[in-house]
């Protein structure tokens, strides 16, 4: 396994009501493996930037880098963060997620002990099947389910491999992402960018899947 250094990527769009709680949940629970926090303000028209910087400007235990986009293009923003990352791993957190687990980033690094691991989501992963010899369908979902994790807590410690994983919290091996030339922005209108890069990784023998940390996100926040 590579040295455990992680860049946390946070894309923010008009979340003035919750963004400080989101940021505090990250800062209060992250480990020393996070060396830099890359923040991309995505065409914000409210006070999200002001509120976010009130907290980030006081951070001393990690480097904070600000970037801007102007077209409400989350995939583009994620690519900005991935291309700027100087660490061995990148962890994408969405601006509607409250992290609830200490050292969450260090826990998500655990499956990377396997050298063929490419990407890990703590939200969802699934397989693809071909039907009618043409069309693809999603199947074999493995999703974040606090109820099932409570009943069977050992699920937390199983790295569940699927064809693709997507949505944050999403951890990626930076060297492998670079070799694949990052996310393909042509897929943004269909929200299939993470599916695409996971399948391109699979063609090289690298695997993706899910591994659980505790977080919450409400639908009214955008989640």
């Amino acid at each position: 396994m590579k040295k455990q250094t992680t860049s946390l990527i946070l894309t923010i769009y008009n979340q003035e009501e919750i963004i400080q709680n989101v940021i505090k949940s990250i800062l209060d629970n992250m480990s020393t493996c996070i060396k830099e926090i890359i923040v991309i303000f995505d065409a914000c028209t409210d006070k999200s930037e002001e509120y976010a910087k009130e907290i980030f400007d006081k951070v001393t235990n990690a480097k904070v880098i600000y970037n801007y986009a102007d077209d409400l293009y989350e995939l583009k923003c994620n690519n900005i963060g991935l291309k700027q990352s100087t660490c061995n791993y990148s962890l994408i957190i969405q601006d509607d997620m409250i992290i609830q687990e200490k050292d969450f980033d260090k826990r998500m690094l655990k499956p990377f002990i396997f050298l063929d691991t490419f990407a890990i989501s703590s939200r969802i992963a699934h397989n693809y099947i071909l039907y009618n010899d043409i069309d693809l369908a999603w199947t074999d979902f493995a999703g974040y389910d606090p109820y099932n994790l409570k009943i069977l807590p050992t699920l937390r410690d199983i790295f569940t491999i699927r064809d693709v994983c997507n949505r944050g919290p999403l951890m990626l091996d930076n060297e492998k992402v670079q070799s694949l030339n990052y996310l393909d922005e042509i897929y943004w209108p269909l929200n299939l960018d993470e599916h695409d890069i996971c399948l391109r990784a699979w063609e090289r023998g690298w695997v993706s899947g899910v591994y659980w940390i505790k977080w919450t996100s409400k639908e009214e926040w955008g989640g």
Side-chain angles (χ1 to χ4, degrees):
M1 184 176 179
K2 304 171 186 175
K3 187 176 180 180
Q4 293 184 325
T5 61
T6 299
S7 303
L8 189 141
I9 298 169
L10 177 66
T11 295
I12 300 174
Y13 169 66
N14 286 1
Q15 290 283 27
E16 64 179 10
E17 293 185 3
I18 65 166
I19 194 59
Q20 289 195 325
N21 288 334
V22 169
I23 295 169
K24 288 176 182 177
S25 77
I26 292 170
L27 298 178
D28 289 346
N29 289 297
M30 72 184 198
S31 79
T32 57
C33 293
I34 292 181
K35 304 301 182 183
E36 60 187 11
I37 301 172
I38 303 172
V39 184
I40 303 99
F41 296 105
D42 187 8
C44 292
T45 58
D46 65 359
K47 294 185 178 181
S48 292
E49 179 178 352
E50 176 186 341
Y51 293 164
K53 286 185 174 180
E54 283 182 4
I55 300 177
F56 278 132
D57 285 348
K58 298 176 184 177
V59 171
T60 59
N61 58 340
K63 182 179 181 181
V64 179
I65 303 166
Y66 298 125
N67 280 290
Y68 296 86
D70 58 5
D71 51 10
L72 305 181
Y73 195 176
E74 185 180 22
L75 169 53
K76 178 180 178 180
C77 292
N78 286 338
N79 264 346
I80 290 172
L82 290 170
K83 291 176 181 179
Q84 193 160 17
S85 171
T86 63
C87 295
N88 288 326
Y89 302 92
S90 286
L91 175 55
I92 298 173
I93 301 290
Q94 290 161 225
D95 63 3
D96 56 7
M97 309 191 77
I98 302 293
I99 304 298
Q100 299 174 310
E101 181 158 346
K102 199 71 176 175
D103 294 338
F104 65 95
D105 55 289
K106 194 170 185 178
R107 174 173 169 79
M108 287 193 70
L109 284 169
K110 287 185 177 181
F112 286 97
I113 193 172
F114 304 107
L115 298 182
D116 60 348
T117 301
F118 171 69
I120 298 166
S121 171
S122 188
R123 183 180 294 230
I124 196 166
H126 58 82
N127 288 334
Y128 277 105
I129 58 171
L130 186 68
Y131 68 98
N132 299 330
D133 295 324
I134 299 176
D135 299 315
L136 285 171
W138 302 353
T139 185
D140 300 324
F141 282 86
Y144 182 69
D145 188 338
Y147 178 74
N148 285 337
L149 291 174
K150 185 176 181 180
I151 294 175
L152 189 61
T154 53
L155 284 173
R156 272 175 50 83
D157 297 316
I158 297 174
F159 175 38
T160 306
I161 295 174
R162 294 290 187 267
D163 293 339
V164 301
C165 66
N166 66 300
R167 307 302 288 166
L170 180 67
M171 179 83 79
L172 298 148
D173 182 311
N174 276 343
E175 184 178 9
K176 293 181 174 68
V177 170
Q178 291 165 9
S179 72
L180 293 168
N181 199 26
Y182 301 96
L183 299 167
D184 191 337
E185 296 184 17
I186 195 173
Y187 285 97
W188 167 72
L190 299 176
N191 295 319
L192 294 175
D193 47 292
E194 291 152 351
H195 302 70
D196 165 69
I197 199 169
C198 286
L199 290 173
R200 286 190 280 130
W202 176 80
E203 290 178 335
R204 297 196 184 188
W206 301 330
V207 300
S208 304
V210 286
Y211 196 69
W212 315 115
I213 64 169
K214 296 178 182 177
W215 54 270
T216 188
S217 180
K218 296 181 180 180
E219 289 186 7
E220 58 264 33
W221 298 347

